[in-house]
Amino acid sequence: MSIVAERLARIKPSQTIAVTAKARALKAAGRDIIGLGAGEPDFDTPDNIKQAAIRAIQQGQTKYTDVDGTPELKRAVCLKFKRENGLEYKPEQVSVGTGGKQVIFNAMMATLSPGDEVIIPAPYWVSYPDIVLMAEGTPVFVECGAESGFKMQAEQLERAITPRTKWVMLNSPSNPSGAAYTYEEMKALTDVLVRHPHVWVFTDDMYEHLVYDGFTFVTPAQVEPALYDRTLTVNGVSKAYAMTGWRIGYGAGPVQLIKAMANVQSQSTSNPSSISQAAAVEALVGPQDFIKERAEVFRQRRDLVVSMLNQAAGIHCPRPEGAFYVYPSCAGTLGKTTPNGTVLNTDEDFVTYLLESEGVAVVQGSAFGLAPHFRISYATSTEALEEACRRIQRATAALR
């Protein structure tokens, strides 16, 4: 009898983390590797946020806190939702977890029973389906190709809903594609959801502040107030505030759901780090002007990467509305042969070729549920991006 639980057979390790780990290992072995797999800003956490954490340590804020967040942080989250999204929440409607991933995990564990379905547009963040499977739910994938801007259409959502549908997961701007829903596009989806009152809405807004070219971000409960009582709006400080390692995510929704999520968290990790929570308060209520400045740098990097990739043979790269990812197609390289005689049959073959031949680490589109594509994170230096794109151009030019 195996010591490993059967439930683990349903899931696989995060492939984005695996690519990053492989790139680090090769770099440690002396290879010249440019890692474009990690979804992590290269900017440092702002000093005022660091200082808030230092003050918290000096003031002895090193004890347990309430299981799902301090009152101070919950109030700060409520202020953020009111200020930026026009959404009114009370502290008892807020749950704080160790990163956005834990908030998602808590929500699915608290609500899914065997056979419950969760609609997930593809491409999707790699963890969505595995979290659903871990909670004994059934992922239902809706393929959203480049022809629709990697966005789910209202008629696709309508067709995917069944009596067993418990949740629909929305992520805008998207990881991995960077696609973001306009007000009109989101309204078309919320109009469908209003007609199906048994379906709850999970929205991952982690990249909310990273939108470009005058794009206006919207979130479902803001677009359609009728969905407020069955929407969990999730966000965090990781991306906009460059606080990935601080591990603070949060969600707001109906009190009954938030209490159920707190029950899950109370028997797993208990509270997030008290020091990280103090820092997150400062992030949400302190100066916000640096966010736009950094977003402009990301926009410039996006434009550079899109331009250079579209000059690579066999690659087509759409220009995304937000986040810090591009999701190019590598269909034009498949069926071709590498200089060492290997035929590229899949996007996984292609990314392996990039890593082995040119030392560029990216993630294959099949990891995100839509092939043949690959994801590049441009949350790294402009110099590294330029060199990586030159290497990709060289690698594709060498194919026959």
Side-chain angles (χ1 to χ4, degrees), residues 4-274:
V4 179
E6 289 182 7
R7 73 176 68 87
L8 285 186
R10 305 187 194 112
I11 67 172
K12 54 188 178 297
S14 168
Q15 294 189 56
T16 54
I17 293 175
V19 166
T20 302
K22 185 175 182 179
R24 284 176 179 161
L26 288 170
K27 201 165 188 176
R31 286 285 307 278
D32 178 16
I33 302 294
I34 301 176
L36 304 179
E40 182 170 53
D42 58 321
F43 296 111
D44 198 8
T45 303
D47 284 340
N48 63 303
I49 298 173
K50 294 180 184 178
Q51 291 302 316
I54 291 169
R55 286 195 301 274
I57 294 170
Q58 292 171 336
Q59 293 168 5
Q61 296 180 34
T62 56
K63 309 297 184 185
Y64 293 129
T65 74
D66 292 346
V67 165
D68 63 345
T70 63
E72 294 80 10
L73 182 48
K74 288 190 174 190
R75 286 194 294 269
V77 169
C78 292
L79 288 171
K80 173 265 181 285
F81 278 125
K82 175 64 175 175
R83 178 182 75 234
E84 297 178 348
N85 310 111
L87 294 172
E88 296 272 5
Y89 290 107
K90 297 176 181 178
E92 58 266 31
Q93 292 178 273
V94 173
S95 179
V96 179
T98 306
K101 185 180 286 190
Q102 185 180 25
V103 178
I104 303 169
F105 185 86
N106 290 346
M108 296 302 110
M109 290 295 289
T111 60
L112 293 180
S113 299
D116 286 343
E117 296 174 353
V118 179
I119 295 171
I120 303 176
Y124 46 73
W125 182 43
V126 293
S127 292
Y128 290 155
D130 287 305
I131 290 173
V132 169
L133 289 166
M134 187 75 114
E136 299 189 282
T138 302
V140 175
F141 301 114
V142 176
E143 187 170 302
C144 307
E147 67 281 356
S148 63
F150 301 115
K151 303 175 202 179
M152 183 166 60
Q153 305 300 297
E155 56 271 22
Q156 291 180 295
L157 175 59
E158 186 77 61
R159 288 196 300 269
I161 293 172
T162 76
R164 294 306 308 250
T165 305
K166 178 67 73 72
W167 290 92
V168 58
M169 285 186 162
L170 298 174
N171 176 209
S172 174
S174 160
N175 175 5
S177 71
Y181 291 91
T182 65
Y183 178 92
E184 292 74 19
E185 290 166 339
M186 187 67 79
K187 185 66 166 62
L189 297 179
T190 59
D191 284 350
V192 172
L193 293 165
V194 166
R195 298 195 295 270
H196 297 276
H198 69 291
V199 180
W200 284 63
V201 185
F202 174 92
T203 178
D204 179 349
D205 298 347
M206 197 65 70
Y207 298 89
E208 168 185 7
H209 292 294
L210 300 179
V211 292
Y212 315 115
D213 307 322
F215 187 92
T216 300
F217 170 84
V218 293
T219 194
Q222 172 189 20
V223 171
E224 180 48 78
L227 296 176
Y228 175 88
D229 288 331
R230 51 186 170 105
T231 297
L232 180 65
T233 303
V234 175
N235 212 312
V237 297
S238 295
K239 312 301 181 181
Y241 299 95
M243 296 175 66
T244 50
W246 298 77
R247 307 310 301 135
I248 295 292
Y250 54 82
V255 171
Q256 180 185 16
L257 171 61
I258 297 300
K259 285 183 176 178
M261 291 166 59
N263 283 342
V264 174
Q265 188 157 307
S266 72
Q267 298 299 345
S268 55
T269 62
S270 195
N271 65 274
S273 161
S274 60

Side-chain angles (χ1 to χ4, degrees), residues 315-371:
I315 303 297
H316 174 66
C317 184
R319 177 175 272 104
E321 294 89 353
F324 41 61
Y325 308 105
V326 291
Y327 199 63
S329 167
C330 58
T333 70
L334 300 188
K336 295 190 174 181
T337 304
T338 69
N340 69 1
T342 301
V343 177
L344 302 181
N345 293 311
T346 66
D347 52 13
E348 188 168 3
D349 292 341
F350 176 75
V351 303
T352 299
Y353 168 59
L354 286 185
L355 182 59
E356 293 179 349
S357 67
E358 293 288 352
V360 177
V362 300
V363 187
Q364 65 271 20
S366 54
F368 306 99
L370 188 69

